[in-house]
Amino acid sequence: MLDDFFLRAIVAGIGVALAAAPLGCFVVWRRMAYFGDATAHAAILGVAIALALDIPVFGAALVVALCMALAVTALAGRGYATDTLLGVMAHSALAIGLVAASFLSGVRIDLMAYLFGDILAVSKGDIALIWGGGALVVALLFWRWQALLTATLNPDLAIAAGLDPRREQLVLTLTLALVVAMAIKVVGVLLIAALLLIPAATARPFARTPETMAALAAGIGVLAALGGLRASWVFDTPAGPSIVCAAAALFLLSVIVSQLRRARVGS
């Protein structure tokens, strides 16, 4: 059934969208956009390490992304502004990864595929990895949803309720690294943060509860994946960037609709 490459791309895109969009809600609520960028950019170093050691790219990217996320969490608030620290570490990790990849002799590497994704080249094994990782992300979020939500909205209230905000931050860090590792093949390290943020930001004006926002974000992410792949097929454009462009178009539409609704209520 999955012998058709375009069908495999659709299944992979839906899997990534369903995992990334609900997690993206926490990225939006916690204002962790730079955090997502730093984690994603570090993954290219994992790609270089995987190719040098001839180990699976997913595992190496996951380990490096997780190490970056943990390092940023540990160093935040120790004399540097968080956005400055994230900017330095994100761009440094990306540059080191690209330089390391250039030293790989005898290894043919398509950096564009890792930077911007190559969803049309996903295999059945990639799909199994994406959906397995996506199921784990959704399960983690479902398991810790209320605790994560409480720690996000009010850390003091979380402590009073017997929760450890640092532990919940660690859960988010783990899930973020997992999404980054599984999304490399689909949209690439430079566009993963967009797939996390844009569906959640698009859903925000229309959601009255956190759960509704997460569900809407997942639906918008799936719609962006399908729309982007369709546009890529029709206009012969890169698939990963086309998916992000479709998400951006949906965001623009949501802004227009929300502004019209406000104008109608105001009048």
Side-chain angles (χ1 to χ4, degrees), residues 20-109:
L23 178 61
C25 293
F26 285 100
V27 173
V28 169
W29 293 331
R30 286 176 171 253
R31 299 180 180 179
M32 293 171 60
Y34 277 128
F35 189 88
D37 265 335
T39 306
H41 288 179
I44 198 67
L45 179 57
V47 171
I49 292 173
L51 294 174
L53 301 179
D54 194 23
I55 59 177
V57 170
F58 174 82
L62 175 61
V63 170
V64 173
L66 184 57
C67 288
M68 170 62 80
L70 291 174
V72 171
T73 302
L75 293 175
R78 298 193 178 184
Y80 293 96
T82 302
D83 58 343
T84 301
L85 181 65
L86 288 171
V88 170
M89 297 187 71
H91 294 98
S92 297
L94 179 60
I96 292 171
L98 293 174
V99 170
S102 70
F103 283 105
L104 297 177
S105 59
V107 177
R108 297 187 63 183
I109 174 173

Side-chain angles (χ1 to χ4, degrees), residues 12-13 15-17 19-20 40 43 57-58 61-62 113-119 122 126 129-131 133-134 137 175-193 195-196 240 243:
V16 171
V57 170
F58 174 82
L62 175 61
Y114 291 108
L115 292 176
F116 298 104
D118 192 11
I119 189 173
V122 295
D126 293 326
L129 202 60
I130 288 170
W131 278 86
V137 168
T175 52
L176 186 59
L178 189 56
V179 166
V180 165
M182 61 181 267
I184 286 178
K185 198 69 177 282
V186 176
V187 291
V189 299
L190 295 183
L191 300 177
I192 292 172
L195 203 59
L196 283 165
I243 291 173

